[in-house]
Amino acid sequence: MTGQRVLTAALLGPLAIAAVLWLPTPILAALLAIVFLLGLWEWTRLVGLTHVLPRLGVLTAGAAIMAVLTWSARPGGLFPFQLTLLIGAGWWLLAALWLRRFEFMRQATASARGIKLLAGLLATVPAWCALVLLHADGEFGPRWALLALSLIWAADTGAYFAGIRYGTSRLAPRISPGKTWAGLWGGVGASLLVAVLAAPLLGLGLAQLPALLLLSAIAVGFSVVGDLYESLLKRHAGCKDSGGLIPGHGGVLDRIDSLLAALPAFALGKAWLGL
């Protein structure tokens, strides 16, 4: 299984990097919409929707929101995108509180299903907005978008190796027994290293490095919430993976869960810190 995971990552990683760096924003936005909507499709299964038509209805709602936001993103018309980022980041702060209440909305009731479906839209659409906004932000936009992705990839890798080597204290044993505090700090350290290496490529000097490091740490913190929240959904649903589309990696949602929470926080933090 590990070999399959490595092979899949080796094939998909360069493609993702090339797409972010060299595709025009409109084309990349369309491809990203497909990816995030696939994640939303898997989300609908996790929350208990079994029939195709209701699941397609949720998917259509997500696609319609993305289309409206795209239409509104004319020159001087980016406020709907920015507002969506605020809503998304606010949702993930609430999700962090939800993680403290494992039993909340665990039962397969209509109200629980409805709230979790709304959560799916609040997770996927703002993350898509964030990545599109980052990519479209001037000459260095594609590099900023790639940095946002790379920080979370590095955090996942650092958390894995630090957790194996030093992990004894569990971060959230009931939700995800494999995650440890050592893994968390290892992930933060790896992401900060990536940020230091990336700073010159973004045209940033030493004076701006502390702000970039703070932004990176915030993004990783949010990514942990996204990862744990998807684990919570899977625990509630009794599933190991969100799907089986990516060999060795589970479903699309399993690969983007951290990004869903990190991207809105990263985009908002970048604007707030003036980077």
Side-chain angles (χ1 to χ4, degrees):
M1 182 63 73
T2 301
Q4 191 178 44
R5 287 174 63 91
V6 171
L7 179 60
T8 301
L11 291 174
L12 295 181
L15 289 176
I17 292 170
V20 171
L21 289 179
W22 293 311
L23 285 180
T25 299
I27 296 176
L28 182 66
L31 292 176
L32 290 173
I34 295 172
V35 173
F36 284 109
L37 288 173
L38 283 173
L40 181 59
W41 174 260
E42 293 176 352
W43 190 297
T44 62
R45 185 181 71 87
L46 286 182
V47 305
L49 284 188
T50 56
H51 297 293
V52 172
L53 285 180
R55 296 177 72 188
L56 285 175
V58 176
L59 213 64
T60 302
I65 295 171
M66 291 177 179
V68 170
L69 288 168
T70 301
W71 174 82
S72 69
R74 297 161 295 183
L78 292 177
F79 177 73
F81 264 61
Q82 296 159 348
L83 178 61
T84 304
L85 293 188
L86 284 171
I87 293 171
W91 148 247
W92 285 112
L93 291 175
L94 291 175
L97 297 176
W98 189 336
L99 294 175
R100 299 174 62 88
R101 299 280 303 275
F102 180 84
E103 298 295 336
F104 182 67
M105 294 294 168
R106 184 180 184 181
Q107 301 301 318
T109 63
S111 59
R113 195 156 40 242
I115 289 174
K116 289 177 179 178
L117 288 173
L118 176 60
L121 291 171
L122 292 173
T124 51
V125 175
W128 173 79
C129 286
L131 204 49
V132 172
L133 277 179
L134 287 169
H135 194 269
D137 189 17
E139 176 188 357
F140 292 115
R143 297 183 187 181
W144 277 104
L146 182 58
L147 174 62
L149 299 174
S150 299
L151 289 174
I152 307 310
W153 295 339
D156 287 344
T157 303
Y160 176 77
F161 287 107
I164 288 178
R165 180 66 178 85
Y166 303 106
T168 55
S169 179
R170 304 300 174 187
L171 180 62
R174 194 172 186 186
I175 297 174
S176 185
K179 291 180 175 58
T180 64
W181 284 102
L184 171 63
W185 296 120
V188 172
S191 70
L192 294 182
L193 177 60
V194 168
V196 170
L197 296 175
L201 301 176
L202 298 167
L204 302 179
L206 285 177
Q208 296 161 302
L209 186 57
L212 181 62
L213 294 177
L214 174 61
L215 176 61
S216 302
I218 291 172
V220 173
F222 270 80
S223 77
V224 173
V225 175
D227 192 350
L228 287 175
Y229 186 76
E230 197 231 353
S231 295
L232 178 71
L233 290 181
K234 290 191 289 189
R235 290 285 179 184
H236 284 183
C239 296
K240 182 179 182 295
D241 296 315
S242 65
L245 187 61
I246 305 177
H249 291 266
V252 172
L253 188 58
D254 293 321
R255 293 299 92 208
I256 66 172
D257 52 1
S258 300
L259 291 169
L260 294 179
L263 288 172
F266 185 88
L268 285 173
K270 176 179 178 295
W272 176 58
L273 292 168
L275 293 172

